[in-house]
Every structure is written in C-alpha cells, then in structure tokens.
Amino acid sequence: MLAVIGVLGGTIVYAVQKRFDRNEDFRAEKKQAYRAFLDALFEHAEQRTEESRKAYDYSKIALLLVAPDPVLKRLVLVQEMATMDMDATGPGDVHAAVTDLILEMRKDCFNGSKLVISELEYVVPIGRPTPLTAEPEGHYEP
C-alpha cells in the first residue's frame, strides 16, 4: 500500500513539474518572439530598408503563433500606424501605439505589470527618439 502511495505521489509530482516546465518553455519562447519583434520594429523604424521590412514582417509571423489576443490587437494598431500616411498620423500616434503594445507584452510575460503608460512612454524610443544632445527636454512626472 505504501509503495502504491509513493508511486502515485511521484506521478503527480512529475506531472505538475512537466506542466510547469512546458509553461516556462512557452513563456521563454514568447519573450524571444517579443524581443525579436521589438528589435525588428526599431530597426525598421530607423532604417526603412527592404531588409529591415522583411525582418519586421518575419518577426510578426512568430507573434501570430505565440502572442495572446490582447497583444495581437495592439499589434494591429501598430501595423495600421506603420502603413498609414504620416500626414494622417504623427510620431505621437506611433509612439502611443508602440507603447501600448509593449505594455501588453510586459503584462503577458510577467503575469501583469504595475507600470502605467506614462512611465513606460518616457523610455520608448519609437516615435520619440532619444535626443542626440544633452539639452534638457523636461523631466518625467508620473
């Protein structure tokens, strides 16, 4: 009887550990896809070459496979900004869409985020690049 309880307990522990490991592997895969996408997005925003466009498009394919619906909905907005005429949308609109997307990715990776948009948008360089000079632009106010 004791042996049966031991085997049953071992089986349960093994099943729980395998499930945990699969979840961690999937989370790592999502983080890798998010990072590749953000790298490609930044590169394409800076370079606007055929090569950077291809890398950006390929990175979106990975997101379609691993990102949950809230992230994909934000991705649609970023894609709309990328394809619209810049007269119709300005850098501020692009910046806001990318910031929302990054916040949603963080929520997915870390099971939520306590950051608010105003904290995150201060450091997102897409649509609002980091200045080249040390001239003050103001300071962050939460």
Side-chain angles (χ1 to χ4, degrees):
M1 181 68 168
L2 193 57
V4 172
I5 292 172
V7 169
L8 184 60
T11 301
I12 292 170
V13 167
Y14 176 78
V16 168
Q17 184 62 45
K18 284 299 276 183
R19 185 173 191 186
F20 177 79
D21 291 345
R22 278 193 302 272
N23 288 341
E24 284 303 307
D25 289 346
F26 187 60
R27 185 174 302 199
E29 186 178 337
K30 283 197 289 189
K31 286 180 182 179
Q32 181 180 0
Y34 290 165
R35 177 65 188 264
F37 170 79
L38 292 173
D39 287 346
L41 174 62
F42 183 76
E43 185 68 22
H44 188 53
E46 291 292 307
Q47 303 299 322
R48 291 289 182 178
T49 64
E50 183 64 21
E51 184 179 307
S52 69
R53 183 200 55 81
K54 284 181 182 179
Y56 173 63
D57 285 346
Y58 285 129
S59 71
K60 289 185 291 186
I61 292 169
L63 291 186
L64 292 173
L65 294 175
V66 299
D69 291 351
V71 171
L72 291 179
K73 287 180 181 188
R74 298 307 189 290
L75 176 61
V76 168
L77 296 175
V78 169
Q79 182 64 27
E80 285 177 356
M81 294 294 162
T83 59
M84 291 180 84
D85 182 354
M86 284 309 280
D87 292 335
T89 105
D93 296 327
V94 173
H95 183 77
V98 171
T99 303
D100 285 344
L101 174 62
I102 293 171
L103 183 58
E104 203 59 50
M105 289 175 169
R106 288 184 56 79
K107 287 178 183 177
D108 182 40
C109 287
F110 302 113
N111 293 323
S113 177
K114 293 182 180 180
L115 289 175
V116 294
I117 290 293
S118 62
E119 293 169 324
L120 191 57
E121 72 183 359
Y122 191 70
V123 295
V124 172
I126 296 172
R128 194 179 291 169
T130 303
L132 295 175
T133 65
E135 295 295 316
E137 291 188 326
H139 63 282
Y140 167 72
E141 290 186 35

